[in-house]
Amino acid sequence: MNLLKNIWVRGIIIICILIGGFFFLQSYNQVEKPTLVNTQGRAFEKATVVEVLKDNIQEDGSRVGDQVVLLQMETGPQKGQILEANSPNGLLFGTACKPGLEVITISSVVGQLHVTTVYNVDRSMSIYIFIAIFLISLCIIGGKKGVKSAIALIFSFICFVFVFFPMIMKGTSPSLAAIFTATIVTAMTICLINGFTIKALSAILATFFGLLIAGLTADIFGYFTSLSGYNVSNIEALLFIGQNTLIDVGQLLFAGVLFASLGAVMDIAMDVSSAVQELHVKNPALTPKELFKSGMNVGRDIMGTMSTTLILAFFGGSLGVWVLDYVYDLPYLQLINSNSIGIEIMQGISGSFGVILTVPIVALFSAWFPYYIEQRKK
């Protein structure tokens, strides 16, 4: 009876938290965004290709110029109508149309003139299906913890979109906003999957300090190498945003380092904390010093592969830059002193510093907390 009562109480508390969180996010996201681009008279709509009136394919198989196609509009004011449209031959916009293909159009209205252009193939349903398959696989293979992991992923996405972005739009420093958001994501993820336990608390605190170390390392690296958020490739577009909003675009680079390091730092913190907790449960006679040494040994085995994983993730994310530099055979002095390469090195090293120094921190917390609690009970 008491167990049933506790379940009901816990359920009511969770529902109240969810409802309160929903209304808070709804209120907090009332952010006024500046009109940076005039989109009046332009809308993106769904359509289906009915017929290709004029193709742009050449004898050698290449495409030159635009296609002229008939589209049946699926959404918008012209839903159900058959319209003639152009499909540009571009890598970023337009697509090779064929009858039955579902596409996204740009419908522009200029006075009495209506112009419809194919923007791209409609890939939204494919994206939704792959996300659904991923989440279902995670739940089936992971069982109860897989379901909790899926919930944690969704919660993380909600935090990034509905907490971090409004915070920086309201003028909060991107670095502080990133630390705050990452802390919430870490606490929610670890506690949801492992419960609020000693090992969870150790992992949360270690992750927090590991992220601070990663951010501080990036800041120091940037200071001595004269690199900042103003040296990124899309700085012109970001500066335009910075001039029209309260966002400090110069700190976005360092906020990105924190988010990019979060997964690896949280992973190694949880692994070491779990290992130390398991040792303590199996052998309560082990002293904090012995537990700390064991945690360090486990951490040393993990930190090498975790640092490599983090650096490879940064390398893979900027592979196009590396390929361009390699093929153009740039001189070494130009390469090592370029902004893009310097930023990639800064991100990889800063994240790895966070991973490496998280090991002794989490080993210390997870070894000391059980001893402290036992002493308090006495």
Side-chain angles (χ1 to χ4, degrees):
M1 192 68 180
N2 288 333
L3 178 61
L4 185 62
K5 183 180 179 180
N6 290 336
I7 293 175
W8 271 100
V9 171
R10 186 180 299 177
I12 292 172
I13 292 174
I14 292 174
I15 291 173
C16 291
I17 291 174
L18 290 176
I19 294 174
F22 172 78
F23 283 109
F24 168 75
L25 291 179
Q26 188 180 41
S27 173
Y28 192 70
N29 276 265
Q30 301 302 315
V31 179
E32 186 177 347
K33 299 179 182 178
T35 304
L36 302 180
V37 179
N38 185 12
T39 58
Q40 187 175 1
R42 189 182 70 175
F44 289 84
E45 307 292 352
K46 293 185 176 184
T48 302
V49 178
V50 176
E51 182 183 353
V52 178
L53 299 179
K54 178 184 175 183
D55 210 345
N56 60 352
I57 192 167
Q58 308 299 305
E59 293 182 358
D60 59 357
S62 62
R63 292 184 178 274
V64 178
D66 295 354
Q67 283 181 314
V68 180
V69 298
L70 286 180
L71 302 176
Q72 181 172 1
M73 303 302 296
E74 304 292 343
T75 60
Q78 297 171 307
K79 180 180 179 180
Q81 297 183 24
I82 304 294
L83 303 178
E84 184 176 304
N86 281 13
S87 180
N89 174 43
L91 297 176
L92 299 178
F93 305 102
T95 187
C97 293
K98 59 183 179 181
L101 182 67
E102 295 181 345
V103 296
I104 301 298
T105 67
I106 304 177
S107 299
S108 303
V109 179
V110 182
Q112 298 299 319
L113 181 65
H114 292 255
V115 179
T116 302
T117 306
V118 175
Y119 169 70
N120 217 326
V121 63
D122 184 5
R123 56 175 65 96
S124 55
M125 185 54 65
S126 299
I127 293 174
Y128 299 149
I129 290 173
F130 271 94
I131 292 175
I133 292 173
F134 164 71
L135 292 176
I136 292 171
S137 301
L138 182 62
C139 295
I140 292 175
I141 297 175
K144 187 181 293 186
K145 286 205 171 184
V147 174
K148 292 180 178 180
S149 298
I151 295 173
L153 280 173
I154 296 172
F155 178 81
S156 300
F157 176 78
I158 291 173
C159 285
F160 293 142
V161 176
F162 297 104
V163 176
F164 176 72
F165 290 148
M167 283 185 74
I168 62 175
M169 281 291 292
K170 292 173 184 287
T172 305
S173 163
S175 296
L176 293 178
I179 292 173
F180 177 77
T181 306
T183 302
I184 295 176
V185 169
T186 301
M188 178 65 180
T189 301
I190 293 178
C191 290
L192 185 63
I193 297 175
N194 298 280
F196 191 74
T197 59
I198 295 299
K199 67 177 180 181
L201 179 60
S202 301
I204 291 170
L205 291 175
T207 301
F208 175 76
F209 286 109
L211 287 177
L212 287 182
I213 291 169
L216 183 61
T217 304
D219 199 29
I220 294 172
F221 189 103
Y223 175 79
F224 283 102
T225 57
S226 299
L227 286 172
S228 70
Y230 294 102
N231 299 123
V232 295
S233 57
N234 58 342
I235 186 58
E236 288 82 6
L238 288 174
L239 282 175
F240 181 62
I241 291 175
Q243 291 168 359
N244 292 275
T245 66
L246 298 175
I247 298 176
D248 183 355
V249 297
Q251 290 193 23
L252 290 177
L253 174 63
F254 302 106
V257 170
L258 295 176
F259 284 136
S261 308
L262 176 59
V265 172
M266 183 165 50
D267 195 8
I268 196 168
M270 195 68 247
D271 288 344
V272 174
S273 182
S274 294
V276 173
Q277 177 69 16
E278 190 68 18
L279 285 171
H280 176 70
V281 171
K282 296 297 182 182
N283 188 0
L286 289 174
T287 65
K289 185 176 181 180
E290 291 172 325
L291 289 174
F292 175 77
K293 287 183 178 179
S294 298
M296 287 297 297
N297 290 334
V298 173
R300 289 189 184 102
D301 290 338
I302 302 172
M303 72 167 64
T305 55
M306 197 63 69
S307 296
T308 303
T309 300
L310 194 60
I311 291 175
L312 289 176
F314 283 118
F315 175 77
S318 59
L319 185 59
V321 175
W322 292 96
V323 169
L324 284 172
D325 292 338
Y326 177 80
V327 173
Y328 277 98
D329 197 20
L330 300 180
Y332 172 75
L333 286 178
Q334 179 185 356
L335 193 64
I336 196 65
N337 289 288
S338 67
N339 290 334
S340 59
I341 297 300
I343 288 173
E344 294 302 325
I345 294 173
M346 179 194 73
Q347 290 175 326
I349 290 180
S350 300
S352 297
F353 259 110
V355 167
I356 293 169
L357 295 181
T358 297
V359 172
I361 295 173
V362 70
L364 180 64
F365 283 149
S366 54
W368 182 75
F369 278 159
Y371 175 78
Y372 174 77
I373 292 175
E374 289 176 359
Q375 292 297 315
R376 292 277 295 181
K377 288 180 179 179
K378 293 178 181 179

